[in-house]
Amino acid sequence: MTIGVTIGQAAAFAGVTVKAIRHYHKHGLIDEPRRDSSGYRRYGSAGLLRLVQIRTLAAAGVPLAEIRAILDADPDRFAATLADVEQRLNERIDDLTARRDMLRRLATGDRALLPDRVLAKLDQVAADLGFTPEDVTMAREGLVLVRALVPEGFDDYVSRVERSLDDPRYVSLVKRMWRAAEWEPDDPRVDELAAAMADYFLARPTLLPVPAALRTRSDAATRYGLLADHGQEQKPAWTRLRTLFEARMRAAGTDVAQQTPAG
């Protein structure tokens, strides 16, 4: 009487594939049974049990490289190892949950790239200043760039802007700047606004809305340029406003990018 089952039958009974069983053999998770008189390898009850155990551990997330040690361990070691695997699975679940939540937030655009408190403040300011949805998107993208280009200075930058928003004169300048986006570059109001902005920040240099951490970077001018260029392709008047503002600041002895006296 032939005892045991073929590899195909064993795979069906254990709920795995023949390829998987051969993979288990290759990695030493289960010994290959001897061939019978007909040349077939036959798996008995112990082999089937081992296959079920391997399949169950693998399905639970245990790496194949660890399964043999677990199955061959004494009861105490077996329990301790499973507890360790469970902890790692929990950590992985937490990580996957965080990634899932991030994907859900990304469905609303780039809001996931900024802290909630900053988003809340931006929404409040946008409502107070009458921003359009496009204005809000552009302002949010600007904040994302600040965080990416000067991460160590992001909190300082946000704090500067928040302090400035307590000053009605600054709020008035911001409103004029956003209206200027629709002006023609040669509109005389651009010159007037640049002068007003320069006067304001020369008198209040600590409120200059440029990350102070730029001063510690050798490529400060490059990073500042990337920040300052944001949105200017669509707003030509802003390009001229920036040029006039920076020129007035330099003429008064202040390099905006470095926030230091101009050399």
Side-chain angles (χ1 to χ4, degrees), residues 206-263:
T206 60
L207 296 182
L208 195 64
V210 178
L214 275 176
R215 286 177 292 187
T216 65
R217 291 182 174 272
S218 60
D219 60 351
T222 299
R223 291 174 186 261
Y224 169 76
L226 290 170
L227 294 173
D229 285 344
H230 175 61
Q232 292 190 14
E233 290 184 4
Q234 296 81 24
K235 314 290 184 181
W238 276 0
T239 300
R240 185 159 184 269
L241 177 63
R242 170 194 166 189
T243 300
L244 293 173
F245 168 68
E246 291 175 357
R248 285 180 176 273
M249 295 294 286
R250 281 195 301 273
T254 297
D255 185 323
V256 176
Q258 297 288 356
Q259 301 180 75
T260 57

Short mmCIF file of all heavy atoms in Angstrom, two decimals, residues 206-263:
data_model
loop_
_atom_site.label_atom_id
_atom_site.label_comp_id
_atom_site.label_asym_id
_atom_site.label_seq_id
_atom_site.Cartn_x
_atom_site.Cartn_y
_atom_site.Cartn_z
N THR A 206 12.78 92.61 10.90
CA THR A 206 12.52 91.29 11.51
C THR A 206 11.25 90.65 10.97
O THR A 206 11.02 89.46 11.20
CB THR A 206 12.41 91.41 13.03
OG1 THR A 206 11.33 92.29 13.36
CG2 THR A 206 13.71 91.93 13.63
N LEU A 207 10.42 91.45 10.28
CA LEU A 207 9.18 90.91 9.73
C LEU A 207 9.31 90.54 8.25
O LEU A 207 8.35 90.08 7.64
CB LEU A 207 8.03 91.92 9.90
CG LEU A 207 7.63 92.25 11.34
CD1 LEU A 207 6.45 93.22 11.35
CD2 LEU A 207 7.29 91.00 12.13
N LEU A 208 10.49 90.75 7.69
CA LEU A 208 10.68 90.43 6.28
C LEU A 208 10.31 88.97 6.03
O LEU A 208 10.87 88.07 6.65
CB LEU A 208 12.15 90.66 5.90
CG LEU A 208 12.47 90.71 4.40
CD1 LEU A 208 11.80 91.90 3.74
CD2 LEU A 208 13.98 90.77 4.20
N PRO A 209 9.34 88.71 5.15
CA PRO A 209 8.86 87.33 4.95
C PRO A 209 9.79 86.46 4.12
O PRO A 209 9.45 85.99 3.04
CB PRO A 209 7.51 87.55 4.25
CG PRO A 209 7.72 88.81 3.47
CD PRO A 209 8.60 89.67 4.32
N VAL A 210 10.99 86.29 4.63
CA VAL A 210 12.00 85.42 4.01
C VAL A 210 12.57 84.56 5.13
O VAL A 210 12.91 85.09 6.20
CB VAL A 210 13.12 86.24 3.35
CG1 VAL A 210 14.16 85.31 2.75
CG2 VAL A 210 12.55 87.17 2.29
N PRO A 211 12.66 83.23 4.95
CA PRO A 211 13.19 82.37 6.02
C PRO A 211 14.56 82.83 6.49
O PRO A 211 15.51 82.93 5.70
CB PRO A 211 13.25 80.99 5.37
CG PRO A 211 12.22 81.04 4.29
CD PRO A 211 12.28 82.45 3.76
N ALA A 212 14.68 83.12 7.77
CA ALA A 212 15.97 83.58 8.32
C ALA A 212 17.05 82.53 8.13
O ALA A 212 18.24 82.86 8.03
CB ALA A 212 15.81 83.93 9.79
N ALA A 213 16.66 81.26 8.07
CA ALA A 213 17.64 80.18 7.95
C ALA A 213 18.40 80.22 6.62
O ALA A 213 19.42 79.56 6.47
CB ALA A 213 16.95 78.82 8.10
N LEU A 214 17.91 81.01 5.66
CA LEU A 214 18.64 81.14 4.41
C LEU A 214 20.04 81.69 4.64
O LEU A 214 20.96 81.40 3.87
CB LEU A 214 17.88 82.07 3.45
CG LEU A 214 16.77 81.45 2.59
CD1 LEU A 214 16.08 82.53 1.80
CD2 LEU A 214 17.33 80.39 1.65
N ARG A 215 20.20 82.49 5.68
CA ARG A 215 21.49 83.12 5.94
C ARG A 215 22.60 82.10 6.17
O ARG A 215 23.77 82.39 5.96
CB ARG A 215 21.39 84.04 7.16
CG ARG A 215 20.64 85.33 6.88
CD ARG A 215 20.51 86.17 8.12
NE ARG A 215 19.63 85.54 9.10
CZ ARG A 215 19.22 86.13 10.23
NH1 ARG A 215 19.66 87.33 10.53
NH2 ARG A 215 18.41 85.51 11.06
N THR A 216 22.24 80.89 6.61
CA THR A 216 23.25 79.88 6.92
C THR A 216 23.59 79.01 5.72
O THR A 216 24.45 78.13 5.82
CB THR A 216 22.75 78.98 8.07
OG1 THR A 216 21.60 78.24 7.62
CG2 THR A 216 22.38 79.81 9.29
N ARG A 217 22.97 79.26 4.60
CA ARG A 217 23.18 78.41 3.43
C ARG A 217 24.06 79.10 2.39
O ARG A 217 23.89 80.28 2.10
CB ARG A 217 21.83 78.04 2.79
CG ARG A 217 20.99 77.10 3.65
CD ARG A 217 19.71 76.73 2.94
NE ARG A 217 18.95 75.72 3.67
CZ ARG A 217 19.13 74.41 3.52
NH1 ARG A 217 20.05 73.97 2.68
NH2 ARG A 217 18.40 73.55 4.21
N SER A 218 24.98 78.33 1.82
CA SER A 218 25.88 78.90 0.81
C SER A 218 25.14 79.18 -0.49
O SER A 218 25.57 80.02 -1.28
CB SER A 218 27.03 77.92 0.54
OG SER A 218 26.53 76.67 0.08
N ASP A 219 24.03 78.48 -0.72
CA ASP A 219 23.25 78.69 -1.94
C ASP A 219 21.98 79.48 -1.66
O ASP A 219 20.94 79.27 -2.29
CB ASP A 219 22.90 77.35 -2.59
CG ASP A 219 22.08 76.44 -1.66
OD1 ASP A 219 21.95 76.78 -0.47
OD2 ASP A 219 21.58 75.41 -2.15
N ALA A 220 22.06 80.40 -0.71
CA ALA A 220 20.88 81.17 -0.30
C ALA A 220 20.23 81.88 -1.48
O ALA A 220 19.00 81.90 -1.60
CB ALA A 220 21.26 82.18 0.78
N ALA A 221 21.03 82.49 -2.34
CA ALA A 221 20.47 83.25 -3.46
C ALA A 221 19.66 82.34 -4.39
O ALA A 221 18.60 82.73 -4.89
CB ALA A 221 21.58 83.94 -4.23
N THR A 222 20.17 81.13 -4.62
CA THR A 222 19.46 80.20 -5.50
C THR A 222 18.13 79.79 -4.90
O THR A 222 17.09 79.79 -5.57
CB THR A 222 20.32 78.94 -5.75
OG1 THR A 222 21.53 79.32 -6.39
CG2 THR A 222 19.57 77.94 -6.62
N ARG A 223 18.16 79.44 -3.63
CA ARG A 223 16.91 79.02 -2.96
C ARG A 223 15.93 80.19 -2.87
O ARG A 223 14.72 80.00 -3.07
CB ARG A 223 17.22 78.45 -1.57
CG ARG A 223 17.95 77.12 -1.63
CD ARG A 223 18.39 76.64 -0.25
NE ARG A 223 19.20 75.45 -0.36
CZ ARG A 223 18.75 74.20 -0.18
NH1 ARG A 223 17.50 74.00 0.13
NH2 ARG A 223 19.56 73.17 -0.31
N TYR A 224 16.43 81.35 -2.56
CA TYR A 224 15.56 82.52 -2.50
C TYR A 224 14.92 82.76 -3.86
O TYR A 224 13.73 83.06 -3.97
CB TYR A 224 16.33 83.76 -2.05
CG TYR A 224 15.53 85.03 -2.23
CD1 TYR A 224 14.49 85.37 -1.35
CD2 TYR A 224 15.79 85.88 -3.30
CE1 TYR A 224 13.75 86.53 -1.54
CE2 TYR A 224 15.04 87.04 -3.50
CZ TYR A 224 14.02 87.36 -2.61
OH TYR A 224 13.28 88.49 -2.80
N GLY A 225 15.72 82.64 -4.93
CA GLY A 225 15.20 82.84 -6.27
C GLY A 225 14.07 81.89 -6.61
O GLY A 225 13.07 82.28 -7.21
N LEU A 226 14.22 80.63 -6.20
CA LEU A 226 13.16 79.65 -6.46
C LEU A 226 11.89 80.01 -5.72
O LEU A 226 10.78 79.85 -6.24
CB LEU A 226 13.64 78.25 -6.05
CG LEU A 226 14.73 77.65 -6.93
CD1 LEU A 226 15.30 76.39 -6.28
CD2 LEU A 226 14.18 77.32 -8.31
N LEU A 227 12.05 80.49 -4.49
CA LEU A 227 10.88 80.90 -3.71
C LEU A 227 10.22 82.13 -4.31
O LEU A 227 9.00 82.20 -4.47
CB LEU A 227 11.28 81.18 -2.26
CG LEU A 227 11.76 79.98 -1.44
CD1 LEU A 227 12.28 80.45 -0.09
CD2 LEU A 227 10.62 78.98 -1.24
N ALA A 228 11.04 83.12 -4.65
CA ALA A 228 10.52 84.39 -5.15
C ALA A 228 9.90 84.25 -6.54
O ALA A 228 9.00 85.01 -6.90
CB ALA A 228 11.63 85.44 -5.17
N ASP A 229 10.38 83.30 -7.32
CA ASP A 229 9.86 83.12 -8.68
C ASP A 229 8.49 82.47 -8.72
O ASP A 229 7.82 82.51 -9.75
CB ASP A 229 10.82 82.25 -9.51
CG ASP A 229 12.07 83.01 -9.92
OD1 ASP A 229 12.04 84.25 -9.84
OD2 ASP A 229 13.06 82.36 -10.29
N HIS A 230 8.08 81.88 -7.61
CA HIS A 230 6.82 81.14 -7.61
C HIS A 230 5.66 82.02 -8.04
O HIS A 230 5.41 83.08 -7.45
CB HIS A 230 6.53 80.56 -6.22
CG HIS A 230 5.19 79.90 -6.13
ND1 HIS A 230 4.84 78.81 -6.90
CD2 HIS A 230 4.09 80.18 -5.36
CE1 HIS A 230 3.61 78.44 -6.61
NE2 HIS A 230 3.14 79.26 -5.70
N GLY A 231 4.94 81.59 -9.06
CA GLY A 231 3.76 82.29 -9.51
C GLY A 231 4.02 83.43 -10.47
O GLY A 231 3.07 83.97 -11.07
N GLN A 232 5.28 83.82 -10.66
CA GLN A 232 5.55 85.00 -11.47
C GLN A 232 5.40 84.76 -12.96
O GLN A 232 5.23 85.72 -13.73
CB GLN A 232 6.95 85.54 -11.14
CG GLN A 232 7.03 86.11 -9.73
CD GLN A 232 8.33 86.85 -9.48
OE1 GLN A 232 9.07 87.18 -10.40
NE2 GLN A 232 8.61 87.13 -8.21
N GLU A 233 5.46 83.50 -13.38
CA GLU A 233 5.26 83.22 -14.80
C GLU A 233 3.85 83.63 -15.24
O GLU A 233 3.65 84.10 -16.36
CB GLU A 233 5.48 81.74 -15.10
CG GLU A 233 6.94 81.30 -14.99
CD GLU A 233 7.12 79.84 -15.38
OE1 GLU A 233 6.12 79.23 -15.80
OE2 GLU A 233 8.24 79.33 -15.27
N GLN A 234 2.89 83.43 -14.34
CA GLN A 234 1.51 83.78 -14.66
C GLN A 234 1.18 85.22 -14.28
O GLN A 234 0.13 85.73 -14.66
CB GLN A 234 0.54 82.84 -13.95
CG GLN A 234 0.62 81.37 -14.37
CD GLN A 234 1.76 80.64 -13.68
OE1 GLN A 234 2.20 81.05 -12.61
NE2 GLN A 234 2.25 79.58 -14.29
N LYS A 235 2.05 85.86 -13.50
CA LYS A 235 1.78 87.21 -13.00
C LYS A 235 2.95 88.13 -13.34
O LYS A 235 3.80 88.42 -12.49
CB LYS A 235 1.57 87.18 -11.48
CG LYS A 235 0.65 86.07 -10.99
CD LYS A 235 -0.79 86.31 -11.38
CE LYS A 235 -1.71 85.23 -10.77
NZ LYS A 235 -3.12 85.41 -11.17
N PRO A 236 3.01 88.66 -14.57
CA PRO A 236 4.16 89.49 -14.98
C PRO A 236 4.36 90.71 -14.09
O PRO A 236 5.50 91.14 -13.87
CB PRO A 236 3.79 89.90 -16.42
CG PRO A 236 2.86 88.83 -16.89
CD PRO A 236 2.07 88.43 -15.68
N ALA A 237 3.28 91.28 -13.59
CA ALA A 237 3.42 92.46 -12.74
C ALA A 237 4.18 92.13 -11.47
O ALA A 237 4.91 92.98 -10.93
CB ALA A 237 2.04 93.04 -12.40
N TRP A 238 4.05 90.90 -10.99
CA TRP A 238 4.78 90.49 -9.80
C TRP A 238 6.29 90.45 -10.06
O TRP A 238 7.08 90.75 -9.17
CB TRP A 238 4.31 89.11 -9.34
CG TRP A 238 3.07 89.17 -8.49
CD1 TRP A 238 2.38 90.28 -8.12
CD2 TRP A 238 2.41 88.06 -7.89
NE1 TRP A 238 1.30 89.93 -7.34
CE2 TRP A 238 1.30 88.58 -7.19
CE3 TRP A 238 2.63 86.69 -7.91
CZ2 TRP A 238 0.42 87.76 -6.49
CZ3 TRP A 238 1.75 85.87 -7.22
CH2 TRP A 238 0.66 86.40 -6.49
N THR A 239 6.67 90.08 -11.26
CA THR A 239 8.09 90.04 -11.59
C THR A 239 8.69 91.44 -11.48
O THR A 239 9.76 91.63 -10.89
CB THR A 239 8.30 89.50 -13.02
OG1 THR A 239 7.76 88.17 -13.10
CG2 THR A 239 9.77 89.46 -13.37
N ARG A 240 7.99 92.41 -12.03
CA ARG A 240 8.49 93.78 -11.95
C ARG A 240 8.43 94.31 -10.52
O ARG A 240 9.35 95.01 -10.07
CB ARG A 240 7.68 94.70 -12.87
CG ARG A 240 8.23 96.12 -12.94
CD ARG A 240 7.76 96.84 -14.19
NE ARG A 240 8.40 98.15 -14.25
CZ ARG A 240 7.88 99.25 -13.72
NH1 ARG A 240 6.70 99.20 -13.10
NH2 ARG A 240 8.51 100.41 -13.80
N LEU A 241 7.37 93.93 -9.80
CA LEU A 241 7.25 94.36 -8.40
C LEU A 241 8.42 93.83 -7.58
O LEU A 241 9.02 94.57 -6.80
CB LEU A 241 5.93 93.85 -7.83
CG LEU A 241 5.66 94.15 -6.35
CD1 LEU A 241 5.59 95.65 -6.11
CD2 LEU A 241 4.37 93.46 -5.89
N ARG A 242 8.75 92.58 -7.78
CA ARG A 242 9.88 91.99 -7.05
C ARG A 242 11.18 92.70 -7.40
O ARG A 242 11.98 93.02 -6.51
CB ARG A 242 9.98 90.50 -7.37
CG ARG A 242 11.26 89.85 -6.86
CD ARG A 242 11.47 88.49 -7.49
NE ARG A 242 12.83 88.00 -7.27
CZ ARG A 242 13.33 86.92 -7.85
NH1 ARG A 242 12.60 86.21 -8.70
NH2 ARG A 242 14.57 86.54 -7.61
N THR A 243 11.41 92.96 -8.69
CA THR A 243 12.64 93.60 -9.12
C THR A 243 12.78 94.99 -8.50
O THR A 243 13.86 95.35 -7.98
CB THR A 243 12.66 93.72 -10.66
OG1 THR A 243 12.59 92.41 -11.23
CG2 THR A 243 13.92 94.41 -11.13
N LEU A 244 11.71 95.75 -8.52
CA LEU A 244 11.75 97.11 -7.96
C LEU A 244 11.93 97.07 -6.45
O LEU A 244 12.70 97.88 -5.89
CB LEU A 244 10.46 97.86 -8.32
CG LEU A 244 10.26 98.19 -9.80
CD1 LEU A 244 8.87 98.76 -10.03
CD2 LEU A 244 11.32 99.17 -10.27
N PHE A 245 11.24 96.13 -5.79
CA PHE A 245 11.33 96.02 -4.33
C PHE A 245 12.75 95.67 -3.91
O PHE A 245 13.34 96.31 -3.02
CB PHE A 245 10.34 94.96 -3.84
CG PHE A 245 10.54 94.55 -2.41
CD1 PHE A 245 10.27 95.44 -1.37
CD2 PHE A 245 10.99 93.27 -2.10
CE1 PHE A 245 10.46 95.06 -0.05
CE2 PHE A 245 11.17 92.89 -0.79
CZ PHE A 245 10.90 93.79 0.24
N GLU A 246 13.33 94.66 -4.55
CA GLU A 246 14.68 94.23 -4.18
C GLU A 246 15.70 95.33 -4.47
O GLU A 246 16.66 95.52 -3.70
CB GLU A 246 15.05 92.95 -4.95
CG GLU A 246 14.25 91.74 -4.50
CD GLU A 246 14.53 90.51 -5.33
OE1 GLU A 246 15.32 90.63 -6.30
OE2 GLU A 246 13.99 89.43 -5.03
N ALA A 247 15.50 96.06 -5.56
CA ALA A 247 16.42 97.14 -5.89
C ALA A 247 16.37 98.24 -4.83
O ALA A 247 17.41 98.78 -4.42
CB ALA A 247 16.08 97.72 -7.26
N ARG A 248 15.17 98.57 -4.38
CA ARG A 248 15.04 99.61 -3.35
C ARG A 248 15.66 99.12 -2.03
O ARG A 248 16.28 99.91 -1.32
CB ARG A 248 13.57 99.95 -3.15
CG ARG A 248 12.98 100.81 -4.27
CD ARG A 248 11.51 101.13 -4.02
NE ARG A 248 10.99 102.02 -5.03
CZ ARG A 248 11.05 103.35 -4.98
NH1 ARG A 248 11.62 103.93 -3.93
NH2 ARG A 248 10.54 104.09 -5.95
N MET A 249 15.49 97.86 -1.73
CA MET A 249 16.07 97.33 -0.49
C MET A 249 17.60 97.36 -0.57
O MET A 249 18.28 97.74 0.39
CB MET A 249 15.58 95.89 -0.26
CG MET A 249 14.08 95.76 0.01
SD MET A 249 13.53 96.52 1.56
CE MET A 249 14.17 95.34 2.74
N ARG A 250 18.15 96.96 -1.72
CA ARG A 250 19.61 96.98 -1.88
C ARG A 250 20.15 98.40 -1.80
O ARG A 250 21.20 98.66 -1.21
CB ARG A 250 20.01 96.34 -3.21
CG ARG A 250 20.00 94.82 -3.21
CD ARG A 250 20.75 94.28 -4.41
NE ARG A 250 20.18 94.75 -5.66
CZ ARG A 250 19.17 94.14 -6.29
NH1 ARG A 250 18.64 93.04 -5.78
NH2 ARG A 250 18.71 94.61 -7.43
N ALA A 251 19.40 99.34 -2.42
CA ALA A 251 19.84 100.73 -2.40
C ALA A 251 19.89 101.27 -0.97
O ALA A 251 20.70 102.15 -0.65
CB ALA A 251 18.91 101.59 -3.25
N ALA A 252 19.04 100.69 -0.13
CA ALA A 252 19.01 101.11 1.28
C ALA A 252 19.96 100.29 2.13
O ALA A 252 20.05 100.50 3.35
CB ALA A 252 17.58 101.00 1.82
N GLY A 253 20.68 99.32 1.48
CA GLY A 253 21.69 98.56 2.21
C GLY A 253 21.28 97.20 2.69
O GLY A 253 21.97 96.62 3.53
N THR A 254 20.19 96.65 2.17
CA THR A 254 19.74 95.34 2.62
C THR A 254 19.59 94.38 1.45
O THR A 254 18.88 94.68 0.49
CB THR A 254 18.38 95.44 3.35
OG1 THR A 254 18.54 96.24 4.53
CG2 THR A 254 17.89 94.04 3.77
N ASP A 255 20.28 93.24 1.53
CA ASP A 255 20.14 92.16 0.54
C ASP A 255 19.01 91.26 1.02
O ASP A 255 19.13 90.61 2.05
CB ASP A 255 21.45 91.38 0.45
CG ASP A 255 21.41 90.31 -0.64
OD1 ASP A 255 20.35 89.70 -0.83
OD2 ASP A 255 22.44 90.10 -1.29
N VAL A 256 17.91 91.26 0.28
CA VAL A 256 16.72 90.51 0.72
C VAL A 256 17.00 89.03 0.86
O VAL A 256 16.60 88.39 1.84
CB VAL A 256 15.55 90.74 -0.26
CG1 VAL A 256 14.35 89.89 0.15
CG2 VAL A 256 15.15 92.20 -0.29
N ALA A 257 17.70 88.44 -0.12
CA ALA A 257 17.95 87.00 -0.08
C ALA A 257 18.76 86.60 1.15
O ALA A 257 18.48 85.59 1.80
CB ALA A 257 18.68 86.55 -1.34
N GLN A 258 19.77 87.40 1.49
CA GLN A 258 20.64 87.07 2.62
C GLN A 258 20.17 87.71 3.91
O GLN A 258 20.63 87.34 4.99
CB GLN A 258 22.07 87.54 2.33
CG GLN A 258 22.71 86.86 1.13
CD GLN A 258 23.07 85.42 1.40
OE1 GLN A 258 22.92 84.91 2.51
NE2 GLN A 258 23.52 84.72 0.37
N GLN A 259 19.26 88.70 3.81
CA GLN A 259 18.78 89.44 4.98
C GLN A 259 19.94 90.05 5.76
O GLN A 259 19.96 90.05 6.98
CB GLN A 259 17.95 88.55 5.90
CG GLN A 259 16.72 87.94 5.22
CD GLN A 259 15.94 87.07 6.14
OE1 GLN A 259 15.24 87.57 7.02
NE2 GLN A 259 16.05 85.78 6.00
N THR A 260 20.94 90.50 5.03
CA THR A 260 22.11 91.12 5.64
C THR A 260 22.42 92.41 4.89
O THR A 260 21.93 92.61 3.76
CB THR A 260 23.34 90.20 5.55
OG1 THR A 260 23.58 89.89 4.18
CG2 THR A 260 23.10 88.92 6.31
N PRO A 261 23.22 93.28 5.46
CA PRO A 261 23.60 94.48 4.73
C PRO A 261 24.25 94.12 3.40
O PRO A 261 25.06 93.21 3.32
CB PRO A 261 24.61 95.16 5.66
CG PRO A 261 24.20 94.68 7.02
CD PRO A 261 23.74 93.27 6.82
N ALA A 262 23.84 94.78 2.36
CA ALA A 262 24.36 94.48 1.01
C ALA A 262 25.83 94.84 0.93
O ALA A 262 26.26 95.86 1.46
CB ALA A 262 23.57 95.25 -0.04
N GLY A 263 26.61 93.97 0.27
CA GLY A 263 28.03 94.23 0.14
C GLY A 263 28.35 94.85 -1.19
O GLY A 263 29.47 95.13 -1.49
#
